[in-house]
Amino acid sequence: MLDASRKIGPAQRKALLSSFIGWMFDGFETSTLILVGNAAAASLLSNPNPDDIRLAVGTALGATLMGWAIGGVVGSLGADRVGRKPMLMISIAGYCAFTGLTALSPSVTALVVARFLTGLFLGSEWSTGTALVAETWPASSRARALGVMQSGYGFGFLLAAGIWLILQSLTGPEGWRWMFCSGVLPAFVLIYIRRSVPESELWIAAATERKRTRDTGGKPEGVIHLLRDPSVRGRAAGAFLMAAVTVSVFYAISALSGPYIGAIAAGQGLEASRWAGISALVYNGGAIVGYVSAGFLVDRLGRKPYMYLAFTGAVGAGALTFLAPPTLAISLACVFVLGVFTLGVFSWMPIYLPELFPTSIRATAMGCVFSCARMVAFPLPILTALLYSSLGGYQSTVLALTLLYTIAILVLRFMPETGTAALPT
């Protein structure tokens, strides 16, 4: 009844805006370390050499991802327990605070610890914001709203790249500290969320029911419900397998594309690092197209048909890359297509996952699925380097990675079509 009576108004727009901004700065924070990691490590190491710098940056990235995975589970439990709005505020406040502390890091060890703590709060934002938007927007436009929310990650990367382009020319070797300082800006969003963003009515109703049945032997909640209920457990397992493929392919391909484009550019007498950066922008440009278009495609085709199209498109993007001649222009075009189908494809998660689980465990289930998928993908950049050597190069490796989507296609056959019905309560 709540879903049927809901229309698009100020409450829905405020929920979407706050979640979009939160996820945009998640993208900003994650991208910042990728962009400035080498400069930070070189500044903090006493006698830096390329191997030590790579180890320091890799450790900091790994710490961020591990914190993100742990925080995704813990924060999702909190979102189901204390509410979507409070947890969104806690998430944003936490990653702003520890991003600011990252700027003050006196050593690589301090940098790694600060990034792990930042990751804890980054991880809880996605499932919380997704649940808030999904539960606030009407079913008829929910998919489009969630596609727009997901695009915030790509815009966050573009924002980080633009700010770093300006800062590194103005601030010198210590510019990386100013870059992390800029990550404190989302704290101002907390004032807006506190004053303007409403709590999810579905969560309020679920919390009221949970309180009423707490002492009367009601159904189990949270992770216990997720593990004991056969239907919920089956949906979570299928969603996890599809999410693991999605996250793994993204991490692996994003680690390969920049160096590949840089090597082609260097072969033409161009600056490798500049063109590697351009390839990252092209990749994220493609991702934004994939993010935003997802909601419209879902409304026209349905949830599962869209996902079949997106997963098959990822395999096609790998085949296109494999067959394309290795020229700079054509390779960049392939990177754009890969961005649409290996990063932009992430939109299936915020659109589809909220429709699989009841309100009382929605954030928990989504957080567990996404965070466990990250844990599976954690070693992929290292394994990809071995795959690259055994298969003989970028193009064949990309094809092999995108073929993993055949697993997702097979799993999707056994998943339900959720349609535009009201969210399960």
Side-chain angles (χ1 to χ4, degrees):
M1 292 178 60
L2 287 171
D3 192 275
S5 65
R6 211 182 297 137
K7 296 181 180 179
I8 301 174
Q12 286 70 36
R13 295 188 183 96
K14 289 173 182 176
L16 176 57
L17 178 62
S18 62
S19 298
F20 174 90
I21 293 174
W23 188 229
M24 180 180 73
F25 278 100
D26 264 31
F28 181 94
E29 297 293 346
T30 307
S31 304
T32 292
L33 183 57
I34 296 172
L35 291 168
V36 309
N38 286 347
S43 170
L44 294 173
L45 292 168
S46 56
N47 294 299
N49 61 67
D51 289 338
D52 290 341
I53 290 174
R54 278 192 293 269
L55 178 60
V57 174
T59 304
L61 283 170
T64 305
L65 292 173
M66 185 56 67
W68 200 341
I70 296 171
V73 175
V74 175
S76 299
L77 289 167
D80 281 336
R81 180 61 59 181
V82 303
R84 312 323 192 197
K85 178 177 173 178
M87 204 62 220
L88 185 62
M89 295 178 65
I90 291 170
S91 172
I92 294 173
Y95 71 61
C96 286
F98 287 110
T99 296
L101 288 176
T102 303
L104 304 176
S105 299
S107 66
V108 170
T109 300
L111 176 72
V112 169
V113 171
R115 296 316 297 168
F116 172 77
L117 295 171
T118 303
L120 289 176
F121 291 93
L122 288 172
S124 64
E125 197 284 329
W126 179 84
S127 56
T128 304
T130 297
L132 178 62
V133 174
E135 293 169 0
T136 306
W137 279 68
S140 59
S141 51
R142 187 167 61 229
R144 280 169 285 169
L146 289 165
V148 170
M149 189 213 79
Q150 185 68 26
S151 72
Y153 191 90
F155 282 108
F157 182 94
L158 295 179
L159 179 63
I163 292 177
W164 180 234
L165 187 65
I166 296 170
L167 282 179
Q168 64 181 325
S169 62
L170 296 176
T171 55
E174 294 297 302
W176 65 272
R177 296 186 186 274
W178 289 104
M179 188 68 180
F180 282 117
C181 282
S182 66
V184 178
L185 294 176
F188 292 103
V189 180
L190 297 175
I191 301 173
Y192 172 78
I193 295 175
R194 177 68 181 86
R195 292 180 176 178
S196 304
V197 177
E199 181 58 272
S200 160
E201 294 180 12
L202 286 176
W203 179 84
I204 292 173
T208 301
E209 177 66 15
R210 181 170 57 241
K211 182 178 180 181
R212 186 180 68 82
T213 60
R214 183 176 297 158
D215 299 323
T216 60
K219 64 182 180 181
E221 302 170 357
V223 175
I224 295 176
H225 185 192
L226 186 63
L227 294 176
R228 288 184 180 175
D229 187 305
S231 63
V232 172
R233 187 170 64 242
R235 291 182 175 198
F240 161 72
L241 289 173
M242 294 189 297
V245 170
T246 303
V247 176
S248 297
V249 173
F250 157 64
Y251 276 136
I253 288 180
S254 64
L256 290 175
S257 295
Y260 176 68
I261 295 298
I264 294 176
Q268 298 181 13
L270 302 172
E271 185 180 352
S273 60
R274 179 173 180 269
W275 282 95
I278 290 173
S279 75
L281 294 175
V282 170
Y283 186 69
N284 277 272
I288 290 173
V289 172
Y291 292 144
V292 176
S293 63
F296 296 91
L297 290 172
V298 163
D299 284 344
R300 187 165 187 84
L301 302 175
R303 270 62 172 166
K304 287 182 65 173
Y306 157 72
M307 291 162 69
Y308 277 123
L309 176 65
F311 296 166
T312 304
V315 178
L320 177 66
T321 302
F322 178 74
L323 297 172
T327 64
L328 186 58
I330 293 176
S331 296
L332 280 172
C334 290
V335 167
F336 180 87
V337 176
L338 286 169
V340 174
F341 289 106
T342 65
L343 183 50
V345 73
F346 270 68
S347 280
W348 77 261
M349 283 190 272
I351 291 172
Y352 188 59
L353 291 181
E355 299 173 350
L356 295 178
F357 307 106
T359 303
S360 61
I361 61 164
R362 181 168 294 122
T364 299
M366 291 191 299
C368 288
V369 166
F370 199 7
S371 296
C372 290
R374 287 194 190 106
M375 291 181 182
V376 169
F378 178 78
L380 251 292
I382 299 172
L383 295 177
T384 300
L386 300 175
L387 190 64
Y388 186 97
S389 300
S390 62
L391 293 179
Y394 171 81
Q395 291 171 283
S396 54
T397 303
V398 167
L399 176 60
L401 290 166
T402 55
L403 284 174
L404 290 173
Y405 268 100
T406 58
I407 299 173
I409 292 170
L410 291 174
V411 172
L412 184 57
R413 291 186 58 196
F414 300 96
M415 299 296 286
E417 172 60 74
T418 52
T420 56
L423 292 173
T425 57

